[in-house]
Structures are given as structure tokens and as C-alpha cells.
Amino acid sequence: MKDTAQLVAELSVLEKAALLSGENTWETRTIDRLSVPSIWMADGPHGIRRQVGSADHLGINGSELATCFPTSATIANTWDEDLAAEIGSALGREASSQGVNVLLGPGLNIKRSPLGGRNFEYFSEDPVLSGRLAAAYVRGIQSEGVATTPKHFAVNSQELRRMVTDSVIDERTLREIYLTAFEIVVREANPWAIMTSYNLINGTYAHENAHLLRDILRDEWGFDGAVITDWGGGNDAVDGVRSGGTLEMPSPGFDSVRRIVAAVESGELDEADLDARVAELLNLVARVTARAVRASVDQEAHHALARRAAAESAVLLRNEDALLPLASGTRVALIGDFAETPRYQGSGSSSVNPTRVTSLVEAIGATDLDLADFASGYRRDGAADAQLVTEAVAAAERADVAVLALGLPEIAESEGLDRSSLSLPDVQVRLLRAVAAANPRTVVVLSGGGPVAMPWLRDAQALVHGYLGGQAGAEGILDVLTGAVSPGGRLAETLPIALGDTPTVGRFPSTNRTAEYREGPFIGYRYYDTRGIEVTFPFGFGLSYTSFAYSDLSASEERVTFTVTNTGGAAGSDVAQVYVGKSGSSRVLRPSRELKGFVKVSLEAGESREVTIELGDRAFRFFDVDSDAWQTEAGDYEIAVGSNVADLPLAATVEIDGTVPSGAVDPELEWYRTGDIRNVPDDAFEALLGRRAPEAAWGSGPLGYNDPIDRLDVARSPLARLAFRIIDKRRRAAEAKGEPDLNILFLFNGPFRVISKMSGGLATQRLTEALLTLVNGQTFRGLGRVIAAFLRGRRAEKRTGDAFRAAAGNSSNRADGAGKEDD
């Protein structure tokens, strides 16, 4: 390829506009006359999903074999940046070996609620932990010449109506909680691309949000890469280009191209903005095509890495009377359907076609344990089966120890669907109690992408949360159960006692047009710790087969130094965590303490090590809305060190000069300091916002281009309402079987615009608007408009496609919008 500036100068307006949307589901467009190649993108937060044959963006159709590593929520429990970078390098090699240039991940949205259906793809409720681990992934992947797209930028917290919901959030919470992880990644890892989220932020779609994409991402953070839509996330192509959005995916045909060209010709869009976006796209192409040779992959080595990662991620939460590790020769009854058919990843676009999958039943043969029996114990669909329980109890009675594999079913955690509760299926809880009564030496191994309520905790003598451990998860869990690996996993999110204790209860997921972030910065441990709410297990918690002590704290504004000692009789690792909190009064609302640094420390029995953790300006700053800048409040700060947010044996006070004086909080915000943020009144929330909150309810008028398709049930057309009932029946049937229907979920959560944005040119915006005429009750007029729009759209697609191919010197049909990989 030529120099980027030279290429931009030689491109026509039509060619420039065409480069800013996809050729098909996964590829960008080519310009043969200037030797600009297409590049291939693939899903891949924890494994490569390069599709073969018919393409889709939801993980439905087949893909090439790839190593399925533990999900991000799992790896987060390692708190190990070196391991994250190693996994990133492996992902980069596998992407390169399959001809994938851009890996769509990692995901690092903040876990606002444990009910988030896609939380298994995200790291943590804390932005510092999320950002540092994601940065390690990015460095690892890009070291292999493959681009990453940290996602979803930004404030993307729920799956319900995810493509139409407006996240209403105050600027300070936006900056400190929901953007900080992205800031860390951009500043420390220099990603070559980033993916915008589907939702609106304070009234503007993410891909058209100049405040996010220009003011913050580019001007403040120095991002120099390409901004790519989530698949189907484009709305107004012209506004996207003007605001800093580079590439619309998948192919919308040439509809967006025509609109961009027309906007330039009319003066609505400055060609300089178009040139800037094209340069970003061409720079991305140059970066990912710089290596001519594909990487090679050692599948055995990658499986071994996946196994090590699963073992390092497992969190030991309970171990009464030191039941674990299990001694050699222990007779074990493996109980639970998950022991034979593991749940190792979530549903949706991140689903990987693994090179192989091991189960506990298969893997136990390679250990020194004696498999006494296996019993499935429960049905995966949640239906009661007394015979299965009877068989499981009998197996437990014949064994020294019962290892019970429990967890969340597939329908509970999926892209496009938020969880409805924190409970395990009733059949699993009843099974546990029956098995524990028959054999108190019961070990529960949990599978799932997030927290579950544990009213049954005392029925388990030992509990290991393996999260979603990837293809080698069973082997990793057995490494922990047998003591081959000392458990070093620490929770990257709080495990609350009950859903009613969570800060967003009753408001998540929002069913309204808006999702109001009324809780401000008080999410996760920031809420529980500040309000003194008891939890099942605190953020950062995890047990080991040894013990640790902390001593000799020395703290300053720049760094913290202390000593960690392994006081037990076995080697092991602990995660030393540093939290900072403001002492005395404060001019801003603050959680009592916030994570500002951490390091994983591995020690032999009796070994001590001095540890230093650098703090930096992020440790004390806050975003000051009045000055629209980061500031540091003068005063005393407590720096606390320990093994989790509830166990901080070391503390010291440091005095900070600051950039602004200390003071009292705004009286209008005092409610937040004293009240229950689960029930924030309108006036307090609007004081936090600094403006009136927008109307939350859906309107009663005609359905529009950006209304969700699941509102067909209120459409004026009887035909549209019938269509809704048919689609909804299919959705409910899938849920009853315990398997999410991803196509239906995408439709239900998506707006009418996806009809044109996801059709590869078969439907245009004009056709979608004509269809809405029908939906809104004008049946015959609407049908006529639909037919006319379709015919006109096909002619326009052909004309534009022919013109583009002629200008670009492209001889094939690959750039006709539909492409060889139809959606």
C-alpha cells in the first residue's frame, strides 16, 4: 500500500464513502486500482470465531476450530496481567493463523448489575482491574500483528433493548466508572481500533457521540485508531463520520455510501471529516497487513495454557476442616450433569468451536483420585426427576467425597438476554441438600459467568467457583481439587447475599426508553462497602491452601511499599490489593474506598517479599464537572492494603496538597450521602445529572425507525401484532427448552433500522420507513410503499455498486454489498 495521505488524495468521494462500511459480514472493501486490500474481522474475546460458509454475527453458524480459553469474567479472577498477556498472544497467533486481521474484543464494560446477561464476557465491576487486564490482552494480541477492538464503548450495561436504550448518566460517574477502563487501555496499550456500543449515551448514539469519540477518545486520550460499530450498530452514517465513527459493520449495502456522498456534495458533511475517517481505516489496514506470513499454532500448547488459566482462575470460597485438597486415592463420586457435559462458555457472538473439550468425568482418570461413580443428578432444563436424585444420593453414599457440579444453565447467560434472578435452579439446590445429607463431605464446583445467591452455602463443606473455564476447565478444576495447583483466584466482583441487596435492584434491566444510572458511582463493592451491607463474599476474596500475612507498610503520594509473607506450610499466591479513601469531609460524593493498585505475589512456604505498588495521579483524582477537568482534592487520604476489600490489615494516612481545596458536598447531593441509592428520588438524581432527566417512558404515537421491534405488540396494524405473537411464541418456546434463540433475541432487542442495516443491501432505509407505514396501520399504502422501495433500492444498489467497482478497478462481485458471506 502507498502512504496513507497519498492514498486519500487519490480516492474519489465515492471510494472514500465506500471504504467506511463493510463489504459483507466480516470484511472491509477493497480498492484494487490502489492495491488496498480487504481485512477480515472475527469475534474473539476468549477464542477465535472465524466463520466458514454462511455468516452471522451471533455465534449461530459454524466456525473454524480454535482454542476456547476461559471467558474474561473467569480470567479476571486471576488478577494476573502476565497471564492475560500470554493468553492475548495465543489469541493473536490463532487469529493470524486463520487469516483474521481484527479480533473483536476484549470486552470490558463495567458490571453495573450481576444480572447483566453478557457479564461473562466482561472482566469486573471495577474499572482499574478491568482496564489493566484488558490492556494486557491488547498488548498480547497486537504483538502478533492482529488488531483488537476493546468494546463496547461505552456505558453498555444491559442486554434488554440494548440497541435502543438511552443510558442517562452524570458526567462524573461516566468518567470515573464507565470510561476509566477504556482510558487505561488506550493510554497503556494503544489499541489499533475500538468498538462502539449499540446504546445511546445521554441522548446520542455511541457511534455518533462526538463527546465520546472526539473530545475524550481522540483529543484527551490520544487514540489514533479506527472506531468500528458493533454489528448493526450504525444509525446515521453521516453523523457517524462527522462525529468520529470510522467503519460501519456489517455491510449495509451501499445505502450509507449514497448518503455520505450526497452529504459531501450538498455541503452537509465536510470532506475533511470524511478524509480523516478514511485515513483511520487505511492506517488500520496497513497495521494489520504489515506481516505477510501467517503465524503457526501449537494446539497442544494452547490447550495447556487454557488449562493453566482455568486453574489459576478458580476461586476457593469455602473449605471447612481443610477438606481440600483431596488426598491421593480418595474415592470420589462425581455428581451433576455439568460433570459430564460441561458448561464452559456463554451463548452468543463469543461462542467458540473448541479444538476439544474435557469433562470432569473424562479428566479424573488422569489424576490420583478414584472415580467411585458418576450420577447426573438433575436435568439441565430444570425439570424435577426424583430418580436422578435417588441415584446421586446412592453414589454419594458409596464415596469418600462427593464432588457436585452445579451452575447456571445456558438460558441464564446469553447475549441478548439479561438474567432474571441470582438463584441456582431449584432442582440443583434440592440435589445438593440431599447429597450433603447422605455425605457431608461434599464439594460444590460452580460453573457460571457471575454471582449466584448461596442460601445453600452451609450444605457444601467446600466450594470452588470455576466461572466459565473454557475447553480445559475441567482439567484446571481437578488441578485445584487435587492440590496440583494451589488456588490463587480472587473474586473480581462481589457476591451479594440476595438480589434485593444490589444497588440497581428494581431498575435493572430498564424496560423504559432510558436506563437511568441513578446510583451514580456506587456500584459493586463501592456500594456494599460504603453502605455497610453484608455480602456473601467480598470483592477480591479467595481462599488458599496456605495463609498470608501483611506487614511493614510505608505509603506516600507516589507509591506504597509493604511485605507479604506466606505463613502456611505450602506454596501459594495471594493478590495484594491497595485501596484509597478520602478521610474527613469531601467536596464530592465518594465511595469509602476504591481499588487503586494490585499485584499477584507467589511465595514458597515461609517466604517473605517486599512489594512496591506505584500509585500515580489516578489514585487520588476525581472528575470535576465545574471545571470539566480532572482535579485532586486537598486533604488526608487513607491508603489500606490487604487481601480483599473487607480484609485490609494495613493502613496509613497521606496528606495530598491537591489542585482544589477540600470542602463540603453540594447540599443538593446530600441525599446520596445519607439515603438508600436503590431508591433515589427524581430531584436528587437530577441534581447529580445537573439537568432535568429526559422522559423515560415510551411514547404512545406511531412506531419509528429507532423503536424496538418487540413493541410490535402495540402496533396499530393487526398484521404487525400477529407477527409479534408468532415471534414471541418462538422466543418463549426456546426459553422453555433452556436454549436461547439468538436470532429472536437480536430482533426483539433491536430497532426497526436493523432491517436495512443488517440486510447487506437487500433493504434500504427507505424500505424500512415504508414498512413502518404498514406497521402503523396503513396496510395497503404501506404494502405499495414497501414494494416500490424494494424495487427502487435494488436499482440504486446496482447503480452504486457498478460505479464503485468501475472507480475502484474491482473486477469481482465481492463488493456488491451482499458479498460471499450473506447475513
Side-chain angles (χ1 to χ4, degrees):
M1 281 176 56
K2 298 179 181 179
D3 172 78
T4 295
Q6 183 180 354
L7 282 172
V8 173
E10 294 183 27
L11 290 167
S12 68
V13 171
L14 174 61
E15 289 171 310
K16 294 174 187 175
L19 282 173
L20 300 188
S21 55
E23 176 179 301
N24 49 54
T25 304
W26 298 118
E27 293 176 280
T28 60
R29 290 191 170 106
T30 62
I31 305 288
D32 284 352
R33 73 177 180 89
L34 296 176
S35 300
V36 176
S38 66
I39 57 175
W40 191 288
M41 307 178 200
D43 287 308
H46 61 272
I48 315 306
R49 195 178 72 86
R50 187 187 191 280
Q51 289 191 289
V52 292
S54 182
D56 72 273
H57 68 292
L58 292 173
I60 299 171
N61 296 323
S63 57
E64 294 187 21
L65 293 174
T67 306
C68 181
F69 290 96
T71 68
S72 296
T74 314
I75 296 300
N77 294 330
T78 69
W79 298 59
D80 190 332
E81 295 168 272
D82 292 338
L83 178 59
E86 192 174 351
I87 293 170
S89 295
L91 289 169
R93 286 193 296 276
E94 294 204 14
S96 174
S97 74
Q98 294 185 18
V100 170
N101 306 109
V102 180
L103 203 56
L104 304 179
L108 67 154
N109 289 108
I110 297 301
K111 299 180 182 183
R112 180 182 174 221
S113 166
L115 295 180
R118 211 168 175 180
N119 279 0
F120 61 86
E121 284 192 50
Y122 304 138
F123 290 101
S124 176
E125 65 190 33
D126 182 82
V128 171
L129 179 56
S130 297
R132 285 177 53 177
L133 290 175
Y137 268 77
V138 170
R139 287 192 292 268
I141 294 168
Q142 292 189 170
S143 71
E144 299 295 333
V146 175
T148 61
T149 64
K151 62 182 186 181
H152 305 86
F153 191 63
V155 205
N156 171 225
S157 299
Q158 68 179 60
E159 290 298 286
L160 180 67
R161 293 174 170 169
R162 59 182 176 162
M163 300 181 77
V164 296
T165 301
D166 183 5
S167 297
V168 180
I169 186 170
D170 68 281
E171 185 73 9
R172 182 168 168 245
T173 298
L174 171 70
R175 293 297 203 108
E176 294 184 15
I177 303 297
Y178 295 95
L179 296 189
T180 290
F182 287 99
E183 179 185 3
I184 292 170
V185 172
V186 170
R187 291 187 185 276
E188 297 183 5
N190 187 32
W192 299 340
I194 202 164
M195 182 189 291
T196 49
S197 57
Y198 284 130
N199 52 288
L200 301 93
I201 300 99
N202 292 326
T204 305
Y205 277 104
H207 200 71
E208 302 162 16
N209 196 309
H211 180 52
L212 275 183
L213 304 186
R214 285 191 165 178
D215 300 346
I216 298 174
L217 179 63
R218 288 197 171 89
D219 295 345
E220 184 178 326
W221 298 349
F223 177 74
D224 67 353
V227 176
I228 304 172
T229 66
D230 201 344
W231 265 230
N235 175 49
D236 186 309
V238 175
D239 276 351
V241 172
R242 183 186 297 112
S243 303
T246 310
L247 178 66
E248 183 179 353
M249 292 296 292
S251 175
F254 286 99
D255 204 16
S256 294
V257 176
R258 288 190 292 274
R259 294 177 184 278
I260 293 170
V261 171
V264 171
E265 291 176 347
S266 69
E268 178 190 355
L269 177 66
D270 191 329
E271 191 170 355
D273 287 332
L274 176 61
D275 288 350
R277 304 291 84 78
V278 172
E280 292 156 9
L281 188 280
L282 292 174
N283 284 336
L284 175 62
V285 172
R287 280 168 157 169
V288 300
T289 57
R291 291 190 182 183
V293 179
R294 292 186 180 186
S296 60
V297 173
D298 183 338
Q299 288 189 351
E300 289 300 317
H302 283 195
H303 184 82
L305 175 59
R307 174 177 180 168
R308 175 159 60 90
E312 293 291 338
S313 302
V315 186
L316 179 63
L317 295 173
R318 182 174 169 86
N319 192 22
E320 296 301 295
D321 299 325
L323 177 59
L324 297 178
L326 300 177
S328 176
T330 300
R331 285 175 51 79
V332 172
L334 287 177
I335 299 172
D337 187 65
F338 284 178
E340 184 177 46
T341 307
R343 180 155 177 265
Y344 55 93
Q345 62 178 335
S347 299
S349 60
S350 66
S351 295
V352 177
N353 185 14
T355 57
R356 67 180 192 262
V357 179
T358 55
S359 69
L360 290 172
V361 172
E362 295 166 337
I364 198 170
T367 72
D368 292 331
L369 302 176
D370 179 10
L371 178 58
D373 207 347
F374 164 73
S376 60
Y378 56 82
R379 286 178 50 170
R380 214 171 181 109
D381 63 5
D385 192 322
Q387 181 60 34
L388 293 181
V389 176
T390 298
E391 292 169 358
V393 168
E397 290 174 337
R398 291 191 293 268
D400 299 328
V401 173
V403 174
L404 188 51
L406 306 178
L408 296 171
E410 285 79 1
I411 194 66
E413 297 180 297
S414 172
E415 180 176 357
L417 185 69
D418 293 304
R419 293 168 64 182
S420 59
S421 81
L422 297 183
S423 300
L424 287 179
D426 288 343
V427 293
Q428 294 189 25
V429 176
R430 291 196 294 268
L431 173 67
L432 166 60
R433 286 174 173 154
V435 167
N439 186 343
R441 291 167 59 81
T442 293
V443 179
V444 170
V445 174
L446 275 180
S447 296
V452 296
M454 299 178 180
W456 43 262
L457 181 59
R458 294 189 179 278
D459 292 298
Q461 189 171 338
L463 171 61
V464 177
H465 200 332
Y467 273 66
L468 296 174
Q471 67 180 52
E475 294 162 272
I477 287 294
L478 283 168
D479 287 339
V480 170
L481 297 184
T482 60
V485 173
S486 181
R490 303 293 184 263
L491 290 173
E493 58 190 324
T494 307
L495 302 193
I497 293 176
L499 181 59
D501 295 329
T502 61
T504 56
V505 63
R507 292 185 286 106
F508 186 97
S510 172
T511 59
N512 293 326
R513 182 183 294 276
T514 63
E516 297 179 339
Y517 286 59
R518 290 187 174 232
E519 69 282 355
F522 297 101
I523 63 164
Y525 74 86
R526 287 170 167 79
Y527 171 65
Y528 303 114
D529 188 65
T530 301
R531 302 302 177 195
I533 293 176
E534 185 180 358
V535 299
T536 305
F537 294 107
F539 177 79
F541 178 84
L543 301 174
S544 177
Y545 294 152
T546 187
S547 56
F548 300 91
Y550 290 75
S551 61
D552 305 326
L553 174 64
S554 173
S556 69
E557 184 176 353
E558 292 78 25
R559 64 189 57 85
V560 179
T561 300
F562 53 93
T563 298
V564 184
T565 302
N566 182 340
T567 58
S573 61
D574 200 17
V575 177
Q577 302 163 39
V578 177
Y579 294 83
V580 173
K582 178 77 166 56
S583 301
S585 63
S586 175
R587 65 189 293 159
V588 294
L589 292 165
R590 295 177 184 269
S592 57
R593 53 176 59 91
E594 299 177 279
L595 181 74
K596 297 299 180 181
F598 62 89
V599 64
K600 193 161 192 175
V601 184
S602 297
L603 300 171
E604 296 296 323
E607 183 184 2
S608 294
R609 183 176 305 162
E610 186 178 80
V611 173
T612 296
I613 294 179
E614 301 294 329
L615 293 177
D617 65 336
R618 288 198 197 113
F620 305 99
R621 71 178 189 175
F622 74 98
F623 191 80
D624 182 49
V625 177
D626 293 335
S627 63
D628 193 32
W630 291 98
Q631 304 285 4
T632 303
E633 185 179 10
D636 291 340
Y637 290 78
E638 182 186 73
I639 297 178
V641 177
S643 59
N644 65 72
V645 71
D647 183 12
L648 302 169
L650 304 181
T653 298
V654 297
E655 184 178 359
I656 305 296
D657 291 336
T659 57
V660 295
S662 185
V665 71
D666 186 334
E668 290 186 308
L669 297 176
E670 188 62 30
W671 195 94
Y672 273 89
R673 189 182 300 280
T674 60
D676 182 352
I677 57 101
R678 295 174 298 182
N679 298 288
V680 176
D682 291 348
D683 58 347
F685 180 51
E686 291 182 346
L688 185 69
L689 282 177
R691 62 185 185 278
R692 287 189 62 89
E695 176 60 43
W698 295 99
S700 58
L703 296 177
Y705 188 60
N706 281 318
D707 280 323
I709 292 173
D710 72 353
R711 296 198 73 231
L712 278 172
D713 63 335
V714 299
R716 296 176 181 177
S717 166
L719 187 62
R721 294 196 299 273
L722 175 62
F724 171 83
R725 289 194 294 273
I726 293 171
I727 296 171
D728 191 50
K729 181 178 179 180
R730 180 175 162 185
R731 177 188 63 83
R732 287 185 282 107
E735 290 183 7
K737 291 192 300 182
E739 299 175 359
D741 188 320
L742 296 171
N743 275 321
I744 294 299
L745 290 175
F746 184 81
L747 273 177
F748 260 41
N749 289 308
F752 286 93
R753 75 168 187 272
V754 300
I755 295 169
S756 56
K757 292 297 185 181
M758 300 294 291
S759 70
L762 287 176
T764 61
Q765 181 174 333
R766 185 188 297 270
L767 188 149
T768 303
E769 291 167 348
L771 181 63
L772 282 165
T773 303
L774 187 155
V775 165
N776 287 314
Q778 302 180 49
T779 304
F780 294 108
R781 184 183 182 192
L783 282 173
R785 285 188 171 184
V786 168
I787 293 169
F790 176 76
L791 295 175
R792 181 181 295 181
R794 297 314 297 158
R795 291 193 295 270
E797 283 292 295
K798 186 178 187 308
R799 285 196 302 270
T800 311
D802 289 345
F804 170 68
R805 282 188 291 274
N810 295 351
S811 58
S812 71
N813 293 325
R814 296 175 67 243
D816 64 359
K820 65 182 180 183
E821 299 282 357
D822 290 341
D823 202 27

